[in-house]
Amino acid sequence: MSIIEQNGPEALDLQIFESLPGNFLLLSPNFQILAASDSYLELLNKTRDNLNGGFLFSFLAEANLWSSEQNAVIAESLDRVKQNGTKDELSEICFDTNEEGIGMQQRYWKIVHKPVKNNGQLRYIIHQILEVAAGIVKEDQVQEELKTAQNDEALARLQAEQMASLFHDIPAQIAIVRGPELVYDYINPQYQRELFPGREVLGMPLLTALPEVEGQPIWDVLQTVYSTGQPHIQNEMLIPLAPHKDEAVEDHYFNLVYQPLFDQSGDVYAILSFKYEVTTHVAARKALEITARGLVVANENLNKALEDLQALHEELHSASEELIASNEQLVQAQNELNVLNKDLELKITERTRELEEMFEEQQVLNEEIGAANEEMAAANEELAATNEELNETQRVLQLTLNGLTESEQRFRNLVRDATVGIVLLTGTDLHVSIVNDVYGALIGRTASELDSRRLFDVIPEAEAVFRPVIERVRDSGKPLYLYDQPYLVYKDGAAIEGFLNLIYQPYREANGSISGVMILCQDVTSQVTAKREMEKSEARFKFLLNAIPQQVWTATADGALNYVNQVVSVDFGHTIESVVGHGWQEFVHPEDLPPALDKWIRALQSGREYLTEFRLKFADGKYYWHLARAVPLIEEGKTTLWLGTNTNIHEQKTNEYKKDEFISIASHELKTPLTTIKAFFQLAKREAGEEKLLGQFVTKAEKQLSRLGRLIDDLLDVSKINAGKMTYNMEDFDFGKLLADTVESIQQTSVSHQIEINENCGTIYHGDRHRIEQVITNLLSNAIKYSPDAKQVIINCELVQQNLIVSVHDFGIGIPEEHLKGLFDRFYRVDNSSARFQGMGLGLFISAEIVKRHGGSFWI
């Protein structure tokens, strides 16, 4: 087994390390390469198989990046890290990189070695290479380095613009509403397809397109976002919507973000809506809640049935008492009848004996006998009524017993079919009175094995934990809810363990007394295990990120900052919790914050890399330039995490500023002698007179001076753009006339090409007329210059959804696709054209900046 297999980091740690936006190697203490970041592989044009498992100095020797002396310096640095256990940095080292389409380029790098410890023991060494400012490069390389830096800057801008064009492909519902009436200015296909497949909303005010939202909370939320400029983020927001106008509304639930969009003056002019529909998830959760409520209702019905049973018992007892009383009355009547019969016999005997003596007495005796007979008949009638009442009582009792049996059976069926474990424990010894198979399965038994037995005779190992809880609920009469509760029982010598969500409910008889406890159990073992694994993975993740000598941060899928490493805390002089709580807004320079947030929103919407520059305020109160880069971690096609770094580029930015300042000063200094030279050439042209040859030379030289003047003007414009001092005189003008005048002016200077306007836009446009003319002139001049063998240039202008789109089509040499992304950078030239065509590569850069200041964009 290799060292990597024994001691290497987890697979998830390697995946995170490889995604870091920087040039990193992860080394073992014996300098074996355990992992490499994607940026490092891309820089050296290597694959992961070329590096992983090998040793650093074997790789450096094979790659021949640095000299043997430089490799020795690296080895000394690594030895110092192992001996001292502290970070070690090396001064600049030069090595060449092979740039595609350009060839070998000389670049300078700083190497940083950072130890990663665990319990005081060295576990890894992070090997990082950072490109540093070219302040030590020879003076004749200044322009080339400037060109490279601007290429990177323009690439970032172009990527940001391309991200914006991918709005319609994002698998989320995106819309832009503009103005106080919230007019739909843009919707992506997902928004149209999922919400309103048979309904047109684009270009309409929100209340006109969706009248059903009037009076709903969503309308107040949108008005608040527009009026306050504060974004609104909410999960599971209810918005009733209708797929077609005037149809019945349906409930929709969304996780949404409403982000205000600001114009140049800082006022809100529109709202960006970013939504994911979660209706099905909400419905599933509500169904689960309904199931839980149903279980509660079933329990209440059970209690009601038991109350009814108790009432029937009481009625039966009352009927029995009445029956006993009737029997007693019947016995008493029978006794009285016997007494009467005996009295009658005595009287008959007496009367018979005395009959002969007195006839009148016989008559009285007959009357007494008649009365006795009447009393006997009444007693017999009363006995018959008592027998009927007894029969009716027995019939009612039988019906009551039948109803009680049906109610109990329904309750037992409910318990048996429940999807959660249910057991009813009664008596002080906790007998199992009712149990279902779901509960039995949790402890490895069947319901028949548990029924009518004492629970802790079956699972004695659980008695110490659960008996006190059950007795507390029984004694207090209050229910108890426990979540993620561990349990352990044994079956045939094997352990059964897991985690449960438990409800302990006191069980009451009809008279209100508590006779037992009903327990409801839900198995949550898989959820608890997954949660604990996630917590362990997060701890390893934070340990690795804290070891990286850069500002490292993470954000949730919706862009909320949720972690920064210790480097951020040290740089800002705040705790990690304070930085996460405040977010970047408190530390980013106010001038850099709006464009940084705009790019961040575009990255979140497109799921593409985030790249920008801004100044961060450190603990010393000073601002330092940083390059921010973040990439999404995509799992199962969805972004689950953003991983980002902030790299200190303050020294590089300072050198760039000095270079721009030098260009500005040099351009201004050249302007004055150039004006004087032009005046001298005009005098020389006048003095040449009839000398045609001299006149031709003067004319050619004058053209070259004009070209030099345009180059100086371009350099001055570049300096103004970089310094933010480019001025614009905004006014209304006829765009169609400007286009026609510009084409006419260019046509007069070009006899080799015919410029055709296929379509023109006759509309009033608000902007800087001179700067817009400068852009069109540059595009037409390039079209003519780079199509020397063609005869035609075509220009079109069309108005699409209140946007002017001007396109220029030539039939020239073309541009390789790999060079398209750099065309709008300063000093960018395509190699195969540099030798044939004149220019410094500034025209498109200036044009792009002018168009952006007018709220537009370029594409090819």
Side-chain angles (χ1 to χ4, degrees):
M1 180 179 292
S2 69
I3 296 175
I4 296 178
E5 292 173 332
Q6 292 176 347
N7 303 316
E10 300 291 338
L12 178 59
D13 298 338
L14 290 177
Q15 180 184 359
I16 295 170
F17 188 91
E18 292 166 359
S19 301
L20 288 174
N23 305 316
F24 296 97
L25 286 180
L26 186 64
L27 306 178
S28 68
N30 62 347
F31 312 140
Q32 185 180 22
I33 300 175
L34 304 179
S37 67
D38 294 333
S39 299
Y40 190 99
L41 298 175
E42 182 180 357
L43 174 68
L44 301 182
N45 194 24
K46 299 292 184 180
T47 65
R48 189 157 278 109
D49 292 336
N50 296 142
L51 298 181
N52 285 357
F55 288 86
L56 176 64
F57 293 103
S58 299
F59 162 72
L60 295 180
E62 294 173 0
N64 197 23
L65 296 178
W66 299 304
S67 65
S68 57
E69 291 80 9
Q70 292 171 327
N71 286 342
V73 172
I74 294 173
E76 293 173 358
S77 173
L78 288 168
D79 288 336
R80 286 194 295 271
V81 172
K82 289 184 64 175
Q83 294 174 4
N84 303 328
T86 59
K87 182 174 71 173
D88 191 81
E89 296 183 3
L90 298 177
S91 58
E92 293 80 4
I93 295 179
C94 173
F95 77 91
D96 297 340
T97 59
N98 190 2
E99 303 291 338
E100 185 176 356
I102 299 177
M104 298 301 292
Q105 296 293 309
Q106 190 176 52
R107 301 170 73 174
Y108 286 80
W109 305 86
K110 180 168 72 175
I111 297 179
V112 178
H113 292 133
K114 174 72 182 292
V116 180
K117 299 179 180 179
N118 189 8
N119 296 326
Q121 298 296 319
L122 180 65
R123 187 174 182 186
Y124 309 111
I125 299 176
I126 296 177
H127 170 81
Q128 179 186 16
I129 58 175
L130 297 168
E131 186 173 10
V132 297
I136 61 174
V137 183
K138 297 178 181 179
E139 188 60 27
D140 58 356
Q141 293 176 308
V142 171
Q143 291 298 330
E144 188 63 27
E145 288 237 341
L146 178 62
K147 167 183 162 183
T148 302
Q150 296 309 316
N151 287 349
D152 293 339
E153 181 183 351
L155 173 59
R157 288 196 302 270
L158 184 59
Q159 287 176 337
E161 294 169 4
Q162 289 172 337
M163 289 179 188
S165 69
L166 295 178
F167 254 153
H168 71 283
D169 292 329
I170 297 175
Q173 299 164 5
I174 299 177
I176 297 176
V177 290
R178 185 184 297 269
E181 294 185 353
L182 305 181
V183 177
Y184 274 100
D185 195 44
Y186 169 81
I187 59 174
N188 72 337
Q190 188 91 349
Y191 191 97
Q192 181 74 57
R193 180 169 58 252
E194 292 188 355
L195 294 182
F196 309 109
R199 191 164 170 184
E200 291 295 332
V201 299
L202 195 61
M204 301 173 65
L206 180 63
L207 291 182
T208 302
L210 311 175
E212 62 267 27
V213 306
E214 185 173 7
Q216 293 186 25
I218 185 63
W219 175 252
D220 296 333
V221 169
L222 288 168
Q223 291 295 314
T224 301
V225 173
Y226 192 88
S227 61
T228 64
Q230 296 296 320
H232 180 82
I233 302 174
Q234 185 171 345
N235 291 333
E236 297 186 4
M237 185 170 192
L238 171 62
I239 307 178
L241 297 172
H244 296 81
K245 196 171 183 181
D246 299 328
E247 288 189 356
V249 297
E250 300 173 354
D251 286 346
H252 293 262
Y253 292 86
F254 301 92
N255 291 347
L256 55 81
V257 177
Y258 288 126
Q259 178 68 41
L261 303 179
F262 302 90
D263 56 21
Q264 294 180 355
S265 61
D267 297 326
V268 177
Y269 72 92
I271 297 175
L272 172 66
S273 169
F274 186 89
K275 301 197 289 290
Y276 286 99
E277 184 161 4
V278 294
T279 303
T280 55
H281 303 290
V282 174
R285 178 173 55 76
K286 289 187 175 181
L288 184 60
E289 292 173 354
I290 291 173
T291 301
R293 289 198 297 271
L295 189 59
V296 173
V297 170
N299 189 39
E300 293 175 351
N301 291 337
L302 174 62
N303 291 333
K304 183 65 169 60
L306 292 175
E307 291 174 359
D308 293 342
L309 177 61
Q310 182 65 28
L312 290 173
H313 276 299
E314 292 176 354
E315 291 179 3
L316 179 60
H317 181 70
S318 176
S320 298
E321 291 178 348
E322 291 178 358
L323 180 60
I324 292 171
S326 298
N327 288 333
E328 291 176 351
Q329 291 176 0
L330 181 61
V331 171
Q332 183 179 358
Q334 186 66 43
N335 293 332
E336 291 176 355
L337 181 61
N338 293 334
V339 172
L340 288 174
N341 287 332
K342 290 179 179 180
D343 290 341
L344 179 60
E345 291 175 356
L346 292 174
K347 288 179 181 180
I348 290 173
T349 303
E350 184 180 357
R351 294 295 187 272
T352 302
R353 186 178 64 250
E354 294 175 354
L355 183 59
E356 296 176 354
E357 298 175 357
M358 188 178 291
F359 177 77
E360 291 83 0
E361 290 181 1
Q362 182 65 47
Q363 185 65 33
V364 172
L365 180 60
N366 289 337
E367 291 176 357
E368 291 179 356
I369 292 173
N373 287 334
E374 289 177 359
E375 290 178 1
M376 186 185 301
N380 288 332
E381 290 177 358
E382 185 177 353
L383 179 61
T386 300
N387 287 333
E388 290 179 0
E389 185 177 349
L390 180 60
N391 291 334
E392 179 64 21
T393 300
Q394 289 175 339
R395 187 181 66 82
V396 171
L397 179 59
Q398 186 62 42
L399 291 176
T400 300
L401 291 174
N402 292 341
L404 179 61
T405 302
E406 292 177 2
S407 177
E408 182 179 1
Q409 187 60 43
R410 285 196 300 269
F411 171 68
R412 289 185 177 275
N413 290 341
L414 178 64
V415 172
R416 181 196 62 200
D417 297 335
T419 58
V420 297
I422 299 177
V423 61
L424 174 59
L425 305 176
T426 58
T428 56
D429 52 359
L430 302 180
H431 266 85
V432 177
S433 297
I434 297 175
V435 66
N436 65 355
D437 288 331
V438 177
Y439 179 84
L442 290 175
I443 59 175
R445 273 79 173 177
T446 64
S448 59
E449 290 180 277
L450 296 169
D451 195 20
S452 300
R453 297 188 63 186
R454 289 184 295 186
L455 178 63
F456 294 119
D457 286 349
V458 181
I459 50 173
E461 60 274 11
E463 183 172 9
V465 174
F466 291 102
R467 177 180 279 275
V469 177
I470 297 170
E471 292 178 344
R472 183 174 66 183
V473 173
R474 185 189 61 198
D475 295 342
S476 67
K478 296 180 181 179
L480 180 64
Y481 303 87
L482 298 178
Y483 300 98
D484 298 344
Q485 179 74 21
Y487 74 97
L488 172 66
V489 297
Y490 294 98
K491 171 66 174 177
D492 298 331
I496 301 174
E497 58 183 324
F499 296 88
L500 298 173
N501 286 347
L502 297 164
I503 300 176
Y504 294 90
Q505 184 74 32
Y507 184 78
R508 300 179 184 274
E509 298 293 344
N511 60 2
S513 63
I514 298 174
S515 61
V517 175
M518 178 172 285
I519 307 173
L520 287 78
C521 312
Q522 182 181 13
D523 187 11
V524 293
T525 302
S526 59
Q527 295 93 315
V528 173
T529 302
K531 179 181 177 181
R532 292 185 174 182
E533 287 299 322
M534 184 181 297
E535 291 173 350
K536 290 164 57 177
S537 176
E538 182 179 358
R540 291 195 301 268
F541 175 62
K542 291 183 178 180
F543 171 73
L544 185 60
L545 294 187
N546 279 327
I548 296 173
Q550 276 181 282
Q551 288 190 1
V552 182
W553 51 274
T554 64
T556 60
D558 58 2
L561 184 68
N562 61 358
Y563 171 76
V564 295
N565 68 349
Q566 293 176 354
V567 176
V568 178
S569 174
V570 173
D571 287 345
F572 292 166
H574 287 260
T575 63
I576 292 176
E577 293 75 14
S578 175
V579 176
V580 171
H582 289 90
W584 296 116
Q585 288 86 336
E586 182 175 336
F587 306 100
V588 178
H589 195 286
E591 296 177 1
D592 304 334
L593 184 59
L597 288 177
D598 181 63
K599 290 182 179 180
W600 180 231
I601 292 172
R602 293 186 183 186
L604 292 175
Q605 294 167 347
S606 64
R608 302 290 296 275
E609 178 188 51
Y610 172 63
L611 190 66
T612 190
E613 294 179 0
F614 46 56
R615 287 164 286 181
L616 294 176
K617 187 177 182 180
F618 274 31
D620 60 3
K622 298 179 181 179
Y623 285 95
Y624 296 89
W625 278 102
H626 283 72
L627 173 66
R629 179 171 180 256
V631 293
L633 178 61
I634 299 176
E635 296 177 332
E636 297 181 357
K638 294 183 179 180
T639 299
T640 58
L641 176 76
W642 285 87
L643 178 62
T645 59
N646 298 334
T647 304
N648 192 318
I649 57 170
H650 192 75
E651 185 177 354
Q652 293 93 314
K653 294 292 288 188
T654 302
N655 289 337
E656 286 180 8
Y657 174 76
K658 293 179 180 178
K659 296 172 188 176
D660 290 338
E661 188 176 29
F662 169 76
I663 292 174
S664 177
I665 295 173
S667 301
H668 280 95
E669 291 299 323
L670 289 171
K671 195 76 173 176
T672 301
L674 183 64
T675 303
T676 304
I677 294 173
K678 283 185 177 180
F680 282 125
F681 268 103
Q682 290 175 357
L683 292 175
K685 188 175 181 181
R686 187 183 307 169
E687 294 296 328
E690 299 297 328
E691 297 184 21
K692 294 183 179 180
L693 183 60
L694 180 59
Q696 292 176 357
F697 289 154
V698 172
T699 300
K700 290 181 179 180
E702 195 173 23
K703 289 182 178 180
Q704 294 301 317
L705 280 176
S706 297
R707 176 174 172 270
L708 179 59
R710 289 193 297 272
L711 292 177
I712 293 175
D713 289 339
D714 286 346
L715 288 173
L716 288 173
D717 283 344
V718 170
S719 299
K720 293 176 182 177
I721 290 171
N722 291 333
K725 298 179 180 179
M726 191 81 156
T727 58
Y728 296 87
N729 299 316
M730 311 300 278
E731 60 182 358
D732 292 336
F733 62 88
D734 188 333
F735 192 88
K737 186 175 185 306
L738 167 68
L739 187 62
D741 292 345
T742 306
V743 169
E744 181 181 357
S745 175
I746 298 296
Q747 188 66 77
Q748 291 177 357
T749 61
S750 176
V751 297
S752 60
H753 291 71
Q754 181 65 34
I755 306 175
E756 299 179 4
I757 301 179
N758 276 0
E759 295 184 20
N760 200 351
C761 302
T763 184
I764 300 301
Y765 180 75
H766 184 76
D768 189 318
R769 191 181 194 282
H770 169 70
R771 294 298 183 185
I772 296 297
E773 181 181 2
Q774 182 180 352
V775 173
I776 299 173
T777 299
N778 183 270
L779 293 179
L780 292 175
S781 299
N782 282 352
I784 294 171
K785 179 167 64 174
Y786 292 106
S787 59
D789 299 327
K791 301 296 182 183
Q792 186 183 29
V793 174
I794 299 174
I795 187 168
N796 289 281
C797 179
E798 55 182 331
L799 187 62
V800 179
Q801 297 180 354
Q802 299 183 341
N803 289 294
L804 281 170
I805 300 179
V806 179
S807 61
V808 177
H809 181 197
D810 64 49
F811 304 89
I813 62 175
I815 304 171
E817 185 175 356
E818 62 268 19
H819 291 288
L820 293 180
K821 61 183 180 181
L823 283 182
F824 301 110
D825 296 346
R826 283 190 297 177
F827 307 111
Y828 190 87
R829 302 294 310 283
V830 179
D831 289 344
N832 61 2
S833 65
S834 299
R836 298 174 54 194
F837 304 100
Q838 298 176 343
M840 293 181 63
L842 295 176
L844 287 180
F845 168 74
I846 297 171
S847 298
E849 292 297 324
I850 293 172
V851 171
K852 288 178 183 176
R853 280 299 303 269
H854 283 76
S857 60
F858 265 100
W859 67 92
I860 301 174

